[in-house]
Structure formats: C-alpha cells, structure tokens
Amino acid sequence: MVELIAAHKSYRTVEALRGVDIAIQPGGVVAMLGPNGAGKTTSINLMLGLRKPTSGQALLFGLDPGHRRARSRSGVMLQESGVNGALKVRELVDLFRTYYPDPMPAERALALAGLEEQAGVQSAKLSGGQRQRLYYALAVCGDPELLFLDEPTVGMDVESRRSFLAGIKEFAAAGRTIVLTTHYLEEADELAERVIVIDRGLVIADASPREIKSRVAGKRVSFTSDHALQERELAGLPYSSLEIDGRRVRMLSNQPEGLLREVFRRGLAVHDLEVAGADLEEAFVTLTSRQPAPAVP
Amino acid sequence: MLLAQTRAQIVSYVRIPAFSLTSLALPVVFYTFFGLPNAGKHFADGTSVGLYLMCSFGAYAVSSVMVFSFGIGVATARGQKIDLLQRATPLPPGVAILASVFNALLFALIALLVLIAFVVLAGGVRFPVQTGLQVVGLLLLGALPLIGLGMTIGYSAGPNAAPAVANLVYLPMAFASGMFVPVADLPDFIQKVARYLPTYHYAQLAYTPIKHADEPLGWALSWSAVWALILFSLAVRAYRRDQQRKFS
C-alpha cells in the first residue's frame, strides 16, 4: 500500500532520512516509533507526497504519492496544520467529504472523533484536544483505505486520549490500514501489530511490539549505596546500561525484579531506591547501543 | 467540490465582518464624502459628476475586494497552515483558487450593487440600466490583473505584513489612478506615472460606458491584459517559491 524505497531526505544541512526502506501491506495498525527529530514526520511526509525524497522513491498505492487517485484513498492527520477557523465543525467535515469519491456519512465521522456535541462550534473556538479530534474527523470522513496519523494524541489529556485511541481501534477493526507516528512506546504497544523504530534517519527495528519491548530496557533502577560502588560489585546483574556517580547507581533493565533480588543477595546497602519506567530516550539506548544524548540544559 | 469549496469560502467571508462589511461599506462611505456633495453637478462635457464618481468608487470597490481578499486572505491561510492540510487531501489546488475567485467576484458584485443603489437613492443620480450593466460587467471582467496583484502579495508577504503591504501598494495606486480625485486634478508627475498603472486603466474601463474615458476601450483592455500577464506571472512565481519551500 505504501512504500519507501531507499529513501533519503536532506533539508539544507540536515540529513533527516538516511536510506529508509519501509513497505506497509493492507490491514492493521503500524506504528512508527522514535524520539523527536528521528525522521518519523519526514517519513510520513514522503509517503503523502508532501515532501519529495532527495533520492530513492516513495509510492502510495503504487502511484506517485502526489497523485490524486492515491490521495483519494488515504486520509491524513498532520502534526502542524490548520483549518478555516470561521467554519463550524460540521461544515468542515461536510466540505472535506466533498474532496473524496466515496465518503462516510458526516455523523459517523463526528462519532468516530467524539465530536457530536461540538458539531455546531466554529473551529477557531475549539480546545486543543477537540481540535485534534476535528483533524481526526477530517482524516476519516473520506472513508479512506489508509489513514496516516502524525502524533495524533499530542496535547490530549488522559481522558480524551483514551477515547481517541478507542476510535482509532474501531476504525482499524473495520479493515482499514493505519500508519501512525508516536513517541510513546505504550501507545504503539496498545494499538499496533507492527512497530517500526526510527532513529536518526534510519530504521533500527521493525517487529511486533512484544519483540520490541523485549529488546528495549523497560525500567530504570536507581539507588544510593553506603559507599562508592565499583563496577565489579555489580557485575553479572541483568542490566543493559550502568552509570555510577559516587554512591548513586543508575541502571536500565528489563528485569528489575531479578536485578534487585541479586543486589540484595549480595548484601549491598540500598537507600532511596527508585524503580521507574524508562523513557523512550533511555529505552533507545539499548536498542541503538548508543550513548544517551546529552541532556539539553 | 467546486461548489462546496466556494460556498465554504463565502460562508467564512461573511463570518469575518472585518472583511465583508468593510468591503461593502467603505465605497459607500467614500461616496458620501466625495460624491454626494457633487452628485448633482456636471462636467463641461455634460457628464454627471455623480455618475462619474459612482464609476470611480465602483472601480475602488471591486479592486479593493480583489487586492485585499487575495492579498490578506491567502497570506492568512498560509500563516494558519490551512494550505498544508488542504495539500494532503485530494482537492486539486486549482479548485481552491477558483473558489476564491468566485467568492471575490460575488462580493465585488454585491459591493457594486450596494454602491449603485446608494448613488441612485441617496444621490438622486439617474442613468440608463444598460449603462449600469456595462459598468458592472467591465469592472468584473477587468478585475483580473488585480486578482494577480492580490495573489502576488498573498503568496509573498507573511500574514502579519500582508495587510500593511496590501494597503501600501494598493492605496497610493488607487489614489493616483483617479479613483478618489479625477486624475486631471492630481499633481503633474503623478498624472504622468498614473498612465502606466493597472488601476488607472482599470478605472478607465468604468468610464467608457459613461463616455468620460481618457482612452478608447480597446486601449484600456489591452493595457489590462498586459498587466494581467505581468501580475499573474509574478503571482505564479511567488506561489511556486512558497510551494517549493514547503513541499520539496
């Protein structure tokens, strides 16, 4: 359905994509996961024909992605875009429906986006989360076979995010294909059957969420000991990365329970113990076996 | 699709009174100041001053709708990134532009009808219906170069700068072209410059049906065609540059 073939993309001095091959077959949800600036949005833009690859090729339904026949079969929710603020939600949905050959009823699009109550509101007066849902309604109203969602849940509170994800699942259950980008591993895990991990312009993993999760560090374990620890005291523990800063120890691990059991068995003094979910940046350390990016002050 | 897009344009134009009301009211307001006091007078050749000024402010009415609705409208849409999402849909760009042209033509027509009604009712100016129709027809037909001017501004200026740029470019041009004060009453050097302006020849189109034009209709139309060509190629260049920056 969508293909990127050896796609490179450079913007002036920045190399956003450095040779990406992705092929997406019909059916199911595919998540493109990666930290900010990894090249997810660039990939989507190439797939949509909003940007042209510097080299390589992008195909949408076997056609140039800018082709109207290809666009007629796909719906899009972009990260940065706008709509005419003077038009009401329902008017915008009705307008966008006329762009597509075989649209769904406006009521259904509004229901999928959970916007029934805001149908008569001018789009300029919507809240951030409602606006995201309006973009979703506009993306699905053409009843597309393929739906692109670029960071769809950004700016949503927990509640609207939950109902929004349910709406996506409902649309996918109707046999549609969904390609979405996210930088939340849980979101990819919850929705997708396939996760493509992109980092620094390259695909570094392409597998089921289960497999990805087993390969990335899930938890960050940190504690303070009563003396400055040596690395050999922690040797053999199931961690994927270790940082010792005097008496403070930070480890990334998939098996925090086993790790702690071993720490206690060795009789190390443990204070201020913290076990937290690793954020994506940390998780990527294991997947890319690169050094963590220096913290931006 | 074109119909829906046009309707959406019209609805949103109506909902922004800063645009729609201004474009309808200003020509009437100006006519009140400049036209009403002289409505009953006649030029030496017998032409009614009230009728002449109706043509002047008619030209002003249509050209300001064109320059502002495209200049400011396009720049605002670009600023709000409306074009980005639209570009990702199957809507052909030509349809969106055509819808804006229809919307602008409709508002220009309404502005003209409001002005004409005001001139007839408040100014007591009388003229054959056919003359009125000719003035309206020529003004709408001849608006093409001004759409080009508006688009050039809209695709090159940012959303904040566009209103200033549009005013700065268009208002002096309108003045110099005799839309407020007859060209003959303007300073010498402005009179000389005026002959080359698109707005000058545009106003001349409106004076043709009342037989008070400085140049033959064919001449005014040729000038307008040349200006349309120039301004549209500038607009296309600005459009391409904008697209190139966003979509390449």
Side-chain angles (χ1 to χ4, degrees):
Chain A
M1 265 181 143
V2 205
E3 252 184 297
L4 291 183
I5 305 160
H8 285 257
K9 179 68 192 174
S10 315
Y11 303 106
R12 285 197 191 108
T13 56
V14 187
E15 227 183 341
L17 289 185
R18 302 182 290 156
V20 166
D21 287 279
I22 295 174
I24 292 168
Q25 317 312 331
V29 180
V30 178
M32 300 213 292
L33 180 69
N36 286 328
K40 299 178 304 255
T41 296
T42 301
S43 301
I44 291 252
N45 282 344
L46 293 189
M47 292 174 180
L48 287 169
L50 286 178
R51 295 279 184 183
K52 292 190 176 63
T54 313
S55 72
Q57 208 185 357
L59 290 172
L60 183 56
F61 296 104
L63 298 164
D64 180 287
H67 201 289
R68 193 163 165 225
R69 277 222 309 277
R71 290 221 171 121
S72 299
R73 296 165 69 182
S74 48
V76 194
M77 189 171 159
L78 297 172
Q79 229 183 107
E80 279 201 347
S81 63
V83 287
N84 190 327
L87 293 178
K88 295 174 182 168
V89 168
R90 172 70 194 246
E91 291 168 341
L92 280 163
V93 171
D94 277 332
L95 175 63
F96 273 63
R97 287 174 65 242
T98 67
Y99 299 163
Y100 293 88
D102 198 10
M104 64 169 71
E107 285 73 20
R108 175 142 184 261
L110 291 171
L112 279 171
L115 277 177
E116 297 100 326
E117 283 173 26
Q118 285 81 24
V121 179
Q122 283 190 16
S123 71
K125 294 184 180 134
L126 295 177
S127 72
Q130 289 170 340
R131 181 170 283 262
Q132 283 298 97
R133 285 188 274 148
L134 168 61
Y135 292 141
Y136 182 66
L138 298 179
V140 296
C141 71
D143 204 3
E145 294 162 57
L146 175 60
L147 191 59
F148 289 99
L149 308 172
D150 195 2
E151 303 270 358
T153 56
V154 160
M156 283 190 190
D157 56 49
V158 179
E159 191 50 45
S160 39
R161 189 159 152 202
R162 190 175 306 133
S163 68
F164 185 78
L165 294 184
I168 292 179
K169 278 184 199 157
E170 195 187 329
F171 193 68
R176 306 308 190 186
T177 311
I178 298 177
V179 179
L180 68 97
T181 70
T182 177
H183 50 254
Y184 302 116
L185 184 55
E186 319 89 79
E187 204 167 283
D189 185 28
E190 190 184 338
L191 287 171
E193 289 96 61
R194 177 180 169 196
V195 178
I196 299 171
V197 184
I198 298 187
D199 186 43
R200 300 182 182 188
L202 290 173
V203 172
I204 56 170
D206 185 345
S208 69
R210 228 183 121 83
E211 207 175 317
I212 298 280
K213 271 198 335 198
S214 71
R215 281 162 62 184
V216 304
K219 301 287 180 194
R220 182 181 60 233
V221 179
S222 45
F223 62 86
T224 309
S225 190
D226 54 358
H227 65 286
L229 284 165
Q230 300 298 311
E231 200 170 329
R232 59 181 161 72
E233 291 177 80
L234 301 166
L237 293 179
Y239 61 77
S240 53
S241 120
L242 168 67
E243 253 180 86
I244 302 174
D245 181 12
R247 290 159 53 209
R248 190 76 187 163
V249 181
R250 278 162 55 98
M251 288 178 280
L252 293 176
S253 173
N254 281 323
Q255 306 156 44
E257 299 86 356
L259 185 144
L260 284 171
R261 204 176 302 126
E262 186 60 20
V263 167
F264 291 127
R265 204 189 59 77
R266 291 183 189 181
L268 297 170
V270 170
H271 308 285
D272 295 336
L273 175 65
E274 267 180 72
V275 181
D279 61 34
L280 195 60
E281 191 63 37
E282 290 173 315
F284 274 114
V285 172
T286 36
L287 205 57
T288 60
S289 60
R290 65 159 147 117
Q291 290 304 304
V296 180
Chain B
M1 192 192 297
L2 178 58
L3 190 73
Q5 188 71 20
T6 309
R7 197 171 46 215
Q9 286 274 356
I10 293 170
V11 167
S12 56
Y13 203 80
V14 170
R15 287 199 190 134
I16 306 174
F19 264 12
S20 45
L21 262 175
T22 315
S23 61
L24 301 189
L26 266 190
V28 170
V29 170
F30 286 146
Y31 193 86
T32 309
F33 291 149
F34 296 90
L36 284 189
N38 307 306
K41 298 179 187 160
H42 289 81
F43 290 110
D45 65 359
T47 308
S48 150
V49 175
L51 183 57
Y52 171 83
L53 287 174
M54 179 186 91
C55 297
S56 302
F57 288 112
Y60 167 81
V62 179
S63 51
S64 61
V65 167
M66 296 305 164
V67 175
F68 291 123
S69 78
F70 284 99
I72 302 173
V74 169
T76 309
R78 281 170 56 231
Q80 295 174 346
K81 303 192 175 173
I82 293 175
D83 54 341
L84 229 56
L85 185 58
Q86 214 168 52
R87 171 78 178 214
T89 70
L91 175 75
V95 171
I97 293 174
L98 212 57
S100 308
V101 172
F102 287 152
N103 170 56
L105 282 176
L106 177 74
F107 272 88
L109 176 65
I110 297 174
L112 277 179
L113 294 180
V114 169
L115 175 69
I116 292 174
F118 181 77
V119 170
V120 171
L121 297 175
V125 176
R126 295 289 178 269
F127 50 88
V129 173
Q130 201 193 347
T131 307
L133 288 176
Q134 281 172 349
V135 170
V136 170
L138 281 167
L139 282 178
L140 293 184
L141 180 78
L144 210 59
L146 301 157
I147 296 178
L149 176 61
M151 283 183 176
T152 306
I153 296 170
Y155 283 113
S156 22
N160 297 321
V165 174
N167 274 309
L168 213 61
V169 172
Y170 167 69
L171 274 187
M173 266 168 67
F175 248 104
S177 304
M179 289 185 191
F180 293 82
V181 178
V183 177
D185 299 340
L186 294 172
D188 247 0
F189 76 98
I190 292 184
Q191 287 194 37
K192 285 198 186 99
V193 176
R195 317 264 173 227
Y196 299 99
L197 296 176
T199 37
Y200 170 81
H201 299 283
Y202 181 61
Q204 292 303 315
L205 288 178
Y207 302 139
T208 312
I210 63 165
K211 303 190 173 52
H212 201 73
D214 303 341
E215 59 189 15
L217 181 61
W219 190 243
L221 281 174
S222 310
W223 265 100
S224 296
V226 170
W227 267 115
L229 215 63
I230 294 171
L231 289 166
F232 266 100
S233 34
L234 285 178
V236 166
R237 259 184 51 172
Y239 172 75
R240 288 227 178 104
R241 207 168 32 215
D242 182 54
Q243 299 282 305
Q244 179 74 21
R245 203 166 43 73
K246 279 185 205 148
F247 302 118
S248 71

